[in-house]
Amino acid sequence: MINLMIMCSLVLLICITSSKILYKFGVPILLIFIGLGMLAGSDGIVGIYFDNYELTRQICSMGLVFIMFYGGFGTSWDMAKPVAIPSILLSTVGVAITAGLTGIFCFKVFDTSLLEGLLIGSIVASTDAASVFAILRSQRLNLKGSIASILEIESGSNDPLAYMLTIIILGLMADKGYDTIIPMLLNQVVVGILSAVLLGKLTIYLLRNTKFEIDGFYPIFVMGIAVLSYALSEHFGGNGYLSVYMTGIMIGNSKIPHKKSMFQFFDGISWIMQIMLFFILGLLSFPSQIPSVMIKGISISIFMICIARPIAIFSILSWFKIPLKQQAFVSWVGLRGAASIVFAIYAVTYGVPIESDIFHIVFFVALFSVAIQGTLLPTVAKKLDLIDDESPVLKTFNDYREEIGTNLLEITVQNNSGIANKAIMDSNIPEDILIVMIKRNEEVLIPNGSTQILPKDVLVIAGNDFEVLNDLLDNSNSNLCI
């Protein structure tokens, strides 16, 4: 047990310190963690023999739950709403187009069965949100237009459909019959959405109306909800990944207490899960087997980069009159990642006969995609003249906070004010406006989201733009102070 603890701590420390060094050179985070896993694995320097696909599937499924939940939790719906329709079409119709074209390519070129070809296409059809935004954040790439929001919604929400397609094809390969496809698909979607809506609304209500004695219980409570959202949906035959992602969006875009600390908590949990997931996938691989699948992997990767994804992107985004340069960039940012490798493990452990070494094919496709597309992503953005120096990419996320200016505003709340007799979380005060404290009679209060704003309260607020408060404050008196 002590040796295991030492090994796990060393893995975490090495992953974090090495990423700090390699980040500066634009090396995608996925490559760092998977590369370290490969070095530690059976064919690596350390030589840890590990080939347990079932255990890996279970561990990685739990990891994806938290990664997808935080993907939804950290997505700013205000920023995403204007591009929600094209983004959702990309994550559904676009994934189906990519999967179909890639499947037919494998069927025709590599002489696989049609179902096995479609299985490969379905597994690699989704893009990896963690890799895309790790690169955008590390390189501080500020993109013009709504590209960042499109990429965030698409890459964060396309894994559920890729998972559904993978399960459907595996079901057909197990001779479950074509008449089961529509009921299975409907059940996956309906149960997944219902689970998310019910748990999301219940969680928001409980967080607003229940006060835990210990502040640290709030993020733990939400973590339990994330796991329950996935498990409950899967138990009733729904899509757990769809459910957990939607639950994250609902909770992350609501006004709840201790929201900032939750972001910090889930950001840390998400990174731990990514390190664990990427490292164990690298550990599971056998690099000595990669040369035998290299030709297939390179061919599939090039086909997807040059043909399948561009067709999917341009056939959808052209309807929304998005500039061709932006469409080309979205097409390029189709990085495959950990989710695809995890879905490949699902295929290996499903119990159907598969002739190809599907795990190492998908493993190589993911590495090739991140190494080529990920490394060249900043260069492509610059070549297409899509760098914007005014609007930070971090505004796409809920956890983004602008630097607060040095001005403080003191507001006296009047009886007819739009925020009087409301909790802070229900008052629709913009999130970039911070209520520093409340002066009530002779008492000074340090507020949280559930604190009630009363008439005659004096609010001390900080922010960059106070004009957005005009409609809410009505006739409240205000004084600017330094």
Side-chain angles (χ1 to χ4, degrees):
M1 184 63 180
I2 296 298
N3 290 336
L4 180 62
M5 292 173 67
I6 292 173
M7 186 181 73
C8 291
S9 61
L10 287 175
V11 167
L12 286 173
L13 293 173
I14 292 172
C15 285
I16 292 171
T17 53
S18 61
S19 65
K20 174 69 175 177
I21 298 170
L22 295 175
Y23 239 21
K24 297 179 180 179
F25 299 97
V27 179
I29 199 76
L30 173 69
L31 287 182
I32 298 171
F33 297 157
I34 281 189
L36 290 171
M38 294 171 70
L39 288 175
S42 306
D43 294 341
I45 298 173
V46 181
I48 300 173
Y49 187 83
F50 182 75
D51 63 352
N52 194 327
Y53 284 93
E54 182 60 33
L55 176 61
T56 304
R57 183 185 69 80
Q58 294 175 6
I59 294 174
C60 291
S61 295
M62 180 58 68
L64 283 178
V65 167
F66 291 105
I67 292 171
M68 290 188 181
F69 176 81
Y70 182 62
F73 192 75
T75 298
S76 172
W77 185 244
D78 288 337
M79 294 294 295
K81 193 185 300 183
V83 294
I85 294 177
S87 301
I88 292 172
L89 286 174
L90 288 179
S91 65
T92 52
V93 178
V95 167
I97 293 173
T98 303
L101 292 175
T102 305
I104 294 172
F105 173 79
C106 293
F107 170 62
K108 293 292 186 180
V109 175
F110 301 120
D111 200 27
T112 66
S113 66
L114 179 58
L115 284 178
E116 187 169 317
L118 291 173
L119 177 62
I120 296 173
S122 299
I123 289 171
V124 298
S126 65
T127 57
D128 188 73
S131 296
V132 170
F133 278 90
I135 295 171
L136 293 179
R137 283 175 181 253
S138 64
Q139 299 294 317
R140 292 285 173 175
L141 283 180
N142 309 326
L143 304 174
K144 292 181 179 179
S146 54
I147 308 176
S149 296
I150 291 175
L151 291 173
E152 167 67 0
I153 295 296
E154 185 216 2
S155 60
S157 63
N158 60 14
D159 288 333
L161 185 67
Y163 173 71
M164 278 193 285
L165 292 176
T166 299
I167 295 300
I168 287 171
I169 299 299
L170 287 171
L172 294 177
M173 294 177 73
D175 295 325
K176 290 187 177 179
Y178 288 90
D179 57 334
T180 64
I181 293 179
I182 300 300
M184 182 190 299
L185 187 62
L186 287 175
N187 195 66
Q188 287 255 317
V189 174
V190 172
V191 173
I193 292 176
L194 283 177
S195 299
V197 171
L198 290 175
L199 282 175
K201 287 185 175 296
L202 177 62
T203 304
I204 294 168
Y205 175 81
L206 290 175
L207 289 174
R208 287 179 174 180
N209 295 277
T210 304
K211 181 174 177 58
F212 297 132
E213 298 302 323
I214 300 174
D215 290 346
F217 283 175
Y218 286 93
I220 296 174
F221 177 80
V222 175
M223 182 173 69
I225 292 294
V227 175
L228 182 61
S229 176
Y230 172 83
L232 197 62
S233 179
E234 289 287 323
H235 178 74
F236 290 103
N239 190 314
Y241 295 122
L242 174 63
S243 179
V244 77
Y245 180 73
M246 288 187 60
T247 303
I249 288 181
M250 291 180 65
I251 298 175
N253 286 275
S254 63
K255 292 184 179 297
I256 53 177
H258 304 281
K259 193 173 180 181
K260 185 176 181 180
S261 63
M262 287 185 193
F263 277 118
Q264 296 170 344
F265 176 83
F266 282 107
D267 187 45
I269 292 292
S270 177
W271 275 113
I272 289 175
M273 293 300 168
Q274 288 182 57
I275 292 173
M276 175 197 70
L277 193 149
F278 294 153
F279 182 84
I280 198 172
L281 290 175
L283 192 68
L284 183 66
S285 69
F286 286 79
S288 60
Q289 297 184 26
I290 289 180
S292 63
V293 302
M294 190 173 292
I295 294 177
K296 286 186 178 180
I298 292 175
S299 301
I300 292 171
S301 298
I302 293 176
F303 176 80
M304 294 183 71
I305 294 171
C306 299
I307 299 177
R309 182 163 171 85
I311 289 176
I313 298 302
F314 283 92
S315 63
I316 294 172
L317 294 186
S318 296
W319 292 93
F320 298 92
K321 298 181 180 180
I322 293 175
L324 289 178
K325 285 185 177 181
Q326 295 186 21
Q327 293 186 50
F329 184 76
V330 173
S331 175
W332 178 262
V333 188
L335 280 68
R336 315 298 145 177
S340 295
I341 305 175
V342 174
F343 297 159
I345 295 175
Y346 271 87
V348 172
T349 59
Y350 197 82
V352 298
I354 300 174
E355 295 183 6
S356 305
D357 184 359
I358 199 165
F359 172 77
H360 283 97
I361 290 174
V362 174
F363 187 86
F364 181 85
V365 168
L367 288 183
F368 185 88
S369 171
V370 174
I372 302 301
Q373 292 172 274
T375 303
L376 294 178
L377 192 153
T379 303
V380 173
K382 292 174 184 176
K383 291 290 185 182
L384 293 174
D385 190 28
L386 295 176
I387 303 297
D388 183 4
D389 296 326
E390 297 180 1
S391 181
V393 66
L394 299 182
K395 279 190 174 179
T396 308
F397 305 97
N398 268 326
D399 59 349
Y400 169 75
R401 294 290 183 273
E402 293 231 38
E403 290 184 5
I404 297 175
T406 56
N407 288 337
L408 296 175
L409 189 65
E410 198 173 83
I411 297 171
T412 302
V413 180
Q414 303 300 317
N415 290 318
N416 59 348
S417 174
I419 61 175
N421 299 307
K422 290 183 179 179
I424 292 176
M425 69 178 71
D426 298 323
S427 60
N428 293 322
I429 295 176
E431 292 193 7
D432 55 355
I433 298 295
L434 177 65
I435 300 180
V436 179
M437 66 179 180
I438 298 176
K439 300 176 184 178
R440 181 174 297 165
N441 299 324
E442 301 298 324
E443 187 180 3
V444 174
L445 305 176
I446 304 299
N448 56 42
S450 59
T451 301
Q452 198 86 359
I453 300 174
L454 302 179
K456 307 303 180 182
D457 279 353
V458 178
L459 310 183
V460 178
I461 63 175
N464 289 321
D465 183 10
F466 297 127
E467 292 183 6
V468 294
L469 289 175
N470 287 342
D471 294 336
L472 291 173
L473 298 177
D474 294 330
N475 296 321
S476 296
N477 296 324
S478 62
N479 296 298
L480 188 65
C481 52
I482 304 298

